[in-house]
């Protein structure tokens, strides 16, 4: 029997406290120190010990305390002023209003999980927290963005350990009325799930000015099975998955229409939301009368796909029978056969028509795609290169936008105060020059912050550990040792991430004697704080976790190694602020970006990491350490052994000595120089507004422009593009570079070179192609490295001949071995990316 919620937050609150409720209902409070101070005043103990949860806290507050607050004029004034400030901030012009004049009016952002606050547990880890930061950044920039997701009634699990250190999952049921959610009356979304018509209602969360709508099928009138579609995040098997993803993609597009929101760009954040493209195609066919090919060209420019994982097992794949069951109506409406639909998700190199890969479909239907760090962009081009078999890997149309984190959310109070003082209160958006002043902050001020944060962490860990052991069945006297675990003066290394085997949480456990020597050194000890969840279905991950927990309970080291259960946003914030070193040792290049190390960096925590994800791009010796990785070693076990040895060496010879080298005042000056450089140099690079500005400038704006263009005049240009693509594809086999000649003979630095290419175009016109001169230094095999491209100019053809000449010139920029080649690609002003057709012709090499 289902519980019925009969009360809401507002009914309990005295009139005077209405502003308090308004502030609590907007999830922007997490990054607003004044709002946090306000809630701490309400009930300091609950706030500090149970973790921040304004709505939950107000709901559980005694009527007496509420009356007391309502009668406290200074408190009411504080609440009113925070509320007024919030209201003002909702329509103050920001970067987007002040600096942008373009086509973009609205972005629809779709993700399967959102990590906004621990009190709204609708996320499992990095992907969701990144989505949360995307919304916070959109708020800061004033970007008109509407987010869409699902409301999971059980959220993600709370982690507990049993007596044997084996992970237990608890899925507490969530009640929307006790969360920072409002129902959206009068709006119902209907979707078709294998022939059943399923209704969904919407819940709305607000992050500053950004609305997030969550679809929920647990409504009267749906069958029991359909009510359970939104029961759990990533719960159930593959069929639950496809049902959730249809609700998110197809239901999500319908929800936006019902709300009157018409995005210029649809951002598909990981394949889970990919089905939204099929709904957009269906509408273009059914409502606008286009053919499938035309509909595809019409919707494509407005679809951005971001891929988040280089681990093939992390990608959704569905068997044919599921696609048939759930999309036969769609096929009928769109006039497509099942085989044609299967082809859209066909993974090269696998049998035809058997498996539907959602990432492949998203790549096939997106106007642009990107990975989440420079390195991951390259890995994705290799991983998905098979979709464009004639293109060199470098030309595969998958770009990169490196993730960022929301600085105000993840920077500790103490550090934020110092940054306010040294850089100014707009430090999260300050440019690199202004950040540089942080390198000159007095050592003692920085050390005071580091010390306070470490002390706070130690207190937090002791409380959590104690509570965890009590739930594992230990008695109070058995757990008294918890009160003395960790030492607030000892070098503290943090490691918190999902327990997946490629993240290698047990790398240092491979040599326990050597690890013990590090931990137990008399003069220069080291301590570890470790956290993370294993996926509920992942017994290998749980085994790794158990190994860590076992080690952390061994009597001689248990005061130096602590596993903190239930890693979530609150625990993360304390860890990222309080440790000295943030350790990350994945098997490169399987970490797409990683963001926890960025959060640590804002707090002056030094990264010690394999050069994977973002660290590959932003590492410099002044700001942290790079763990050498032995990628050439194909045997994983041996590779792990080599990398563990490198990590030990780094810790023993560099990290530990630097931390304990003190000057006459007891300050670790060398360490602090690194801390200051870390904050000053990484600070301006890893903010989420930097990431979002890149999305706006490189993707959202140009895509909106192209989309408006292609859809104008009854989709005239979409129709034309289909005809043009067909003509070019048919003719392309005849296109060839037949000769390349040069004049000028650049042999001294500064000399120019004139290149003429003769190109056979077959039936195509010169305007159908672009010809480029690609040039740059070459390696020993004459492979071009770091290619620069110059567009060549059409210089005519002999009468009636399909042979045309193009000319171009270049000046080698460096002395040394140098080379060039000529590339011909299709070109059309409505073509989002030259590589989209996968057609290219190169000058023959000799
Ligand atoms: C930032 C964050 C993550 C992601 O960190 P990674 O470095 O990508 O592993 C996971 N969980 C929480 C709670 C976070 O705040």
């Amino acid at each position: 029997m289902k519980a019925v919620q009969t009360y809401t937050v507002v009914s309990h609150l005295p009139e005077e406290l209405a502003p308090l409720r308004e502030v609590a209902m907007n999830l922007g409070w997490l990054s607003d120190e004044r709002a946090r101070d306000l809630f701490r005043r309400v009930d300091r103990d609950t706030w500090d010990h149970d973790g921040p949860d304004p709505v939950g806290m107000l709901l559980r507050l005694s009527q007496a305390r509420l009356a007391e607050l309502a009668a406290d004029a200074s408190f009411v004034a504080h609440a009113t002023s925070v509320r007024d400030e919030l209201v003002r901030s909702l329509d103050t012009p920001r970067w987007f209003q002040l600096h942008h004049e373009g086509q973009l009016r609205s972005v629809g952002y779709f993700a399967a999980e959102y990590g906004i606050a621990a009190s709204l547990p609708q996320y499992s880890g990095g992907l969701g927290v990144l989505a949360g930061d995307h919304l916070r950044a959109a708020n800061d920039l004033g970007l008109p963005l509407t987010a869409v997701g699902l409301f999971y009634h059980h959220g993600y699990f709370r982690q507990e350990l049993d007596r044997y250190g084996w992970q237990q999952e608890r899925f507490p049921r969530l009640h929307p009325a006790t969360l920072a959610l409002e129902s959206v009356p009068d709006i119902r979304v209907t979707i078709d799930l294998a022939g059943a018509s399923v209704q969904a209602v919407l819940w709305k969360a607000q992050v500053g000015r950004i609305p997030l709508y969550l679809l929920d099928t647990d409504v009267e009138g749906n069958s029991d099975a359909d009510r359970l579609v939104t029961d759990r995040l990533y719960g159930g098997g593959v069929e639950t998955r496809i049902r959730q993803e249809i609700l998110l993609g197809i239901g999500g597009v319908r929800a936006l229409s019902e709300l009157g929101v018409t995005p210029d760009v649809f951002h598909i954040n990981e394949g889970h939301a990919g089905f939204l493209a099929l709904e957009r195609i269906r509408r273009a066919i059914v409502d606008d009368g286009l053919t499938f090919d035309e509909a595809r060209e019409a919707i494509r420019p407005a679809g951005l796909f971001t891929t988040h994982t280089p681990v093939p097992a992390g990608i959704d794949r569905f068997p044919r029978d599921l696609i048939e069951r759930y999309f036969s109506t769609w096929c009928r409406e769109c006039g497509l056969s099942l085989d044609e639909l299967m082809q859209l998700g066909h993974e090269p190199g696998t049998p035809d028509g058997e498996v539907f890969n959602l990432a492949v479909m998203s790549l096939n239907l997106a106007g642009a795609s990107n990975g989440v760090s420079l390195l991951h962009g390259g890995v994705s081009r290799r991983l998905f290169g098979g979709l464009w078999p004639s293109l060199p890997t470098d030309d595969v149309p998958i770009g990169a936008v490196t993730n960022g984190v929301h600085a105000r959310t993840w920077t500790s109070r103490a550090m934020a105060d110092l940054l306010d003082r040294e850089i100014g209160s707009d430090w999260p958006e300050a440019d690199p020059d202004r950040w540089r002043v942080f390198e000159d902050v007095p050592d003692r001020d920085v050390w005071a912050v580091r010390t306070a944060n470490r002390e706070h962490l130690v207190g937090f860990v002791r409380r959590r550990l104690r509570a965890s052991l009590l739930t594992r069945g230990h008695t109070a006297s058995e757990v008294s040792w918890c009160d003395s675990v960790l030492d607030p003066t000892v070098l503290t290394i943090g490691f918190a991430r999902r327990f997946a085997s490629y993240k290698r949480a047990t790398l240092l456990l491979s040599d326990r004697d050597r690890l013990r020597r590090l931990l137990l050194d008399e003069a220069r000890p080291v301590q570890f704080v470790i956290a993370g969840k294993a996926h509920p279905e992942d017994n290998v991950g749980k085994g790794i976790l158990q190994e860590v927990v076992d080690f952390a309970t061994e009597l001689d080291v248990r005061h130096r190694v602590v596993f903190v259960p239930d890693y979530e946003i609150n625990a993360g914030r304390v860890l990222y602020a309080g440790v000295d070193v943030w350790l990350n040792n994945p098997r490169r290049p399987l970490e797409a970006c990683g963001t926890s190390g960025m959060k640590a960096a804002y707090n002056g925590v030094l990264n010690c990491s394999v050069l994977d994800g973002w660290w590959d791009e932003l590492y410099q010796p002044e700001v942290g350490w790079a763990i050498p990785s032995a990628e050439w070693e194909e045997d994983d076990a041996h590779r792990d052994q080599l990398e563990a040895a490198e990590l030990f060496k780094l810790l023993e010879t560099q990290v530990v000595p630097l931390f304990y080298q003190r000057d006459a005042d007891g300050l670790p000056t060398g360490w602090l120089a690194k801390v200051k450089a870390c904050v000053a140099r990484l600070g301006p690079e890893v903010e989420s507004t930097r990431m979002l500005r890149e999305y706006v400038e490189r993707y959202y704006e140009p895509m909106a422009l192209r989309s408006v263009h292609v859809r104008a005049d009854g989709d005239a240009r979409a129709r034309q593009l289909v005809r043009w693509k067909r003509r070019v594809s048919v003719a392309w086999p005849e296109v060839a570079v037949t000769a390349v000649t040069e004049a000028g003979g650049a042999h001294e630095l500064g000399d120019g070179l004139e290149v003429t290419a003769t190109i056979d175009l077959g039936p195509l016109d010169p305007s159908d192609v672009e010809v480029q001169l690609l040039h740059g230094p070459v390696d020993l095999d004459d492979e071009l490295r770091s290619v620069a491209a110059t567009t060549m100019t059409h210089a005519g053809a002999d009468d009636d001949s399909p042979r045309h000449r193009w000319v171009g010139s270049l000046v080698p920029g460096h002395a040394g071995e140098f080379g060039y080649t000529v590339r011909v690609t299709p070109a059309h002003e409505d073509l989002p990316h030259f590589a989209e057709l996968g057609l290219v012709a190169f000058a023959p090499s000799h």
Side-chain angles (χ1 to χ4, degrees), residues 765-833:
D765 290 330
S767 64
D768 291 326
V769 299
E770 171 157 312
V771 182
Q772 287 180 330
L773 196 52
L774 306 181
H775 50 98
V778 289
D779 63 17
L780 292 175
D781 299 323
D782 287 351
E783 281 292 324
L784 284 165
R785 290 176 289 126
S786 65
V787 181
T790 314
T791 303
M792 299 179 81
T793 316
H794 183 233
D798 301 332
D799 284 347
D800 287 338
S801 159
R803 298 215 154 165
H804 293 251
R805 284 182 308 279
W806 266 265
V807 295
S809 57
L810 59 91
V811 184
H814 308 271
E817 292 301 308
F818 194 84
Y820 66 86
T821 186
V822 170
R823 176 174 76 186
V824 190
T825 63
H828 187 284
E829 64 172 317
D830 296 330
L831 197 63
H833 192 286

Side-chain angles (χ1 to χ4, degrees), residues 123 125-126 129 410 497 503 567-569 576 594-597 599:
Y123 65 97
V129 178
W410 302 107
R497 44 201 78 254
K503 300 200 183 221
Y567 177 43
E568 37 67 56
I569 286 174
Y576 311 142
T595 50
S596 54
K599 302 168 190 168

Side-chain angles (χ1 to χ4, degrees), residues 174-193:
L174 303 172
H175 300 287
T178 66
L179 302 169
L181 293 177
E182 279 179 80
S183 75
V184 181
D186 305 329
I187 291 199
R188 288 251 167 160
V189 173
T190 308
I191 56 164
D192 173 285
L193 286 182

Side-chain angles (χ1 to χ4, degrees), residues 654-713:
Q654 298 194 38
V655 179
V656 175
L658 194 65
F659 183 84
Y660 285 107
Q661 203 174 70
R662 305 295 165 96
D663 71 0
D665 298 324
L667 295 173
T669 48
W671 186 273
L672 289 169
K674 251 182 143 80
V675 168
K676 293 192 284 188
C678 158
V679 175
R681 298 185 195 184
L682 297 177
E685 304 294 334
V686 301
E687 227 288 328
S688 50
T689 50
R690 188 271 307 143
M691 162 183 76
L692 193 60
R693 282 202 310 267
E694 279 191 48
Y695 274 115
V696 172
E697 287 167 353
R698 290 171 47 203
Y699 292 102
Y700 297 165
E701 276 286 2
M703 292 177 80
L705 189 64
R706 205 181 309 115
S707 174
V708 167
H709 195 66
V710 164
R711 302 225 61 175
D713 303 326

Side-chain angles (χ1 to χ4, degrees), residues 518-740:
L518 266 181
L519 298 170
L520 302 175
D521 190 282
E522 295 267 326
R524 303 185 308 183
V526 173
Q527 61 194 9
F528 280 85
V529 179
I530 302 167
K533 294 173 175 177
H535 188 279
E537 311 288 319
D538 179 10
N539 283 331
V540 175
K542 290 186 190 178
I544 297 173
L545 196 160
Q546 186 179 41
E547 210 181 313
V548 169
V549 173
D550 278 352
F551 184 72
T553 36
E554 287 185 23
L555 284 179
D556 62 329
V557 297
R558 68 181 188 183
H559 60 303
R560 293 262 189 265
V561 181
V562 181
F563 178 81
V564 184
D566 208 24
Y567 177 43
E568 37 67 56
I569 286 174
N570 290 333
R573 291 179 76 239
V574 181
L575 258 71
Y576 311 142
V579 301
D580 297 291
V581 173
W582 194 248
L583 178 64
N584 189 18
N585 46 235
R587 253 182 223 122
R588 189 178 190 269
L590 295 181
E591 179 105 313
C593 178
T595 50
S596 54
M598 297 175 169
K599 302 168 190 168
Y602 274 118
N603 290 289
V605 173
L606 303 178
N607 280 272
C608 177
S609 169
V610 166
L611 289 176
D612 205 359
W614 74 284
W615 194 233
D616 185 59
E617 197 169 319
L618 291 175
Y619 162 75
Q620 41 179 300
E622 292 80 4
V623 305
W625 292 276
I627 306 167
S629 86
E631 268 153 88
W632 37 267
E633 176 54 65
E634 282 170 15
D635 175 49
D636 275 348
H638 190 226
R639 173 176 172 182
D640 292 354
Q641 211 181 351
L642 292 171
E643 295 185 17
E646 292 286 0
L647 174 54
F648 273 115
K649 195 168 84 186
L650 200 56
L651 294 174
E652 291 158 352
T653 62
Q654 298 194 38
V655 179
V656 175
L658 194 65
F659 183 84
Y660 285 107
Q661 203 174 70
R662 305 295 165 96
D663 71 0
D665 298 324
L667 295 173
T669 48
W671 186 273
L672 289 169
K674 251 182 143 80
V675 168
K676 293 192 284 188
C678 158
V679 175
R681 298 185 195 184
L682 297 177
E685 304 294 334
V686 301
E687 227 288 328
S688 50
T689 50
R690 188 271 307 143
M691 162 183 76
L692 193 60
R693 282 202 310 267
E694 279 191 48
Y695 274 115
V696 172
E697 287 167 353
R698 290 171 47 203
Y699 292 102
Y700 297 165
E701 276 286 2
M703 292 177 80
L705 189 64
R706 205 181 309 115
S707 174
V708 167
H709 195 66
V710 164
R711 302 225 61 175
D713 303 326
D715 297 295
R717 301 188 73 100
R719 297 173 206 258
Q720 199 230 330
L721 192 57
V722 171
R723 289 193 296 273
W724 178 83
K725 276 191 174 181
R726 250 183 236 140
R727 183 165 64 78
V728 170
S729 301
V730 169
W732 199 260
E734 296 178 52
V735 175
V737 181
T738 54
V740 176

